Amino acid sequence: MKFNKPALTFDEQVSLLISRGLIVDNPSLAASQLKNINYCRFSAYRFPFCEVDNQDQFLKGVTFEMLWDLYCFDRILRLHMLDAIEVIEVAVRTRWANYLALEYGSHAYESEEIFSNRLYHRELLNRVDEEVERSHEEFIRSYREQYREPERPPIWAVCEVFSFGLLSKFYKTLKGRRDRNRIAKD
């Protein structure tokens, strides 16, 4: 089957929702709200309010406001979740860097000996180099201006510029279970 759906104006998007049984008391307000939320994103909130055997037909009595309220609730919940995740991420990042620095030195992440896979460790270091190079953080710039050796900044600086995914890969490849457990303990 070939895709052949036409692009719709915001007013046409509201009309489409109405044609599917959605009650829209104020079509111009609905169109205005759809200007800020992609129809594709917004229409995904319809599923709890649609016929089981026809996801393009709303149940009787369902209003635009009901979908809008669900969207707003989801948005607020997502913001709270992201806030909590950020707190956890910063704490994990801090524990990882602090533990390894105290245990193995300021550039512990460069030490092949503490990681289980040397080849993978080199790949991770290449990714660190990319992240450091891309960074515009003042502490990275300051390190580069003040120091020539080692080339890479200390662990407490680099951990702030690489992704949480990269951090988790470094953590996962730590050779010592004791190290992983001490970091995770907190």
Side-chain angles (χ1 to χ4, degrees):
M1 173 190 282
K2 184 176 179 180
F3 180 84
N4 64 357
K5 290 183 178 184
L8 302 176
T9 67
F10 297 113
D11 290 330
E12 290 170 333
Q13 292 171 12
V14 172
S15 295
L16 178 60
L17 291 168
I18 292 170
S19 75
R20 293 178 172 176
L22 186 67
I23 300 168
V24 181
D25 292 331
N26 188 339
S28 63
L29 176 61
S32 176
Q33 288 170 311
L34 288 175
K35 287 179 183 177
N36 296 314
I37 300 159
N38 187 319
Y39 178 85
C40 210
R41 174 185 294 265
F42 183 73
S43 69
Y45 290 90
R46 78 182 185 277
F47 295 115
F49 302 105
C50 288
E51 300 285 340
V52 174
D53 57 343
N54 183 358
Q55 294 294 302
D56 287 332
Q57 184 61 46
F58 286 95
L59 297 168
K60 292 196 185 318
V62 176
T63 66
F64 183 89
E65 287 75 24
M66 293 166 75
L67 267 73
W68 182 258
D69 288 346
L70 182 58
Y71 167 77
C72 290
F73 170 79
D74 185 60
R75 182 179 172 277
I76 291 167
L77 179 62
R78 192 169 45 253
L79 290 172
H80 285 299
M81 293 296 293
L82 288 173
D83 185 52
I85 289 168
E86 190 265 345
V87 169
I88 293 166
E89 179 181 334
V90 168
V92 169
R93 194 179 293 274
T94 301
R95 303 297 193 312
W96 178 81
N98 187 260
Y99 173 80
L100 290 179
L102 291 172
E103 195 71 20
Y104 301 106
S106 63
H107 289 75
Y109 68 98
E110 292 184 328
S111 302
E112 284 183 353
E113 313 77 58
I114 67 172
F115 296 96
S116 60
N117 183 326
R118 289 175 192 253
L119 180 61
Y120 191 57
H121 178 252
R122 278 188 229 115
E123 289 176 27
L124 292 177
L125 288 178
N126 288 338
R127 299 227 357 239
V128 167
D129 292 340
E130 290 169 7
E131 296 298 327
V132 168
E133 185 64 34
R134 190 176 318 143
S135 174
H136 298 291
E137 295 289 346
E138 178 61 29
F139 53 87
I140 297 294
R141 187 189 63 72
S142 177
Y143 182 85
R144 285 185 173 152
E145 288 175 1
Q146 288 185 332
Y147 306 101
R148 296 287 173 239
E149 265 185 58
E151 185 178 332
R152 294 181 186 105
I155 193 168
W156 53 81
V158 297
C159 79
E160 292 297 327
V161 299
F162 56 63
S163 70
F164 195 65
L166 184 55
L167 175 70
S168 70
K169 289 173 183 168
F170 266 108
Y171 175 83
K172 179 181 160 187
T173 59
L174 279 170
K175 190 184 293 184
R177 174 174 278 195
R178 178 180 139 261
D179 291 336
R180 287 192 306 273
N181 287 342
R182 289 236 175 112
I183 293 165
K185 182 181 176 190
D186 286 341

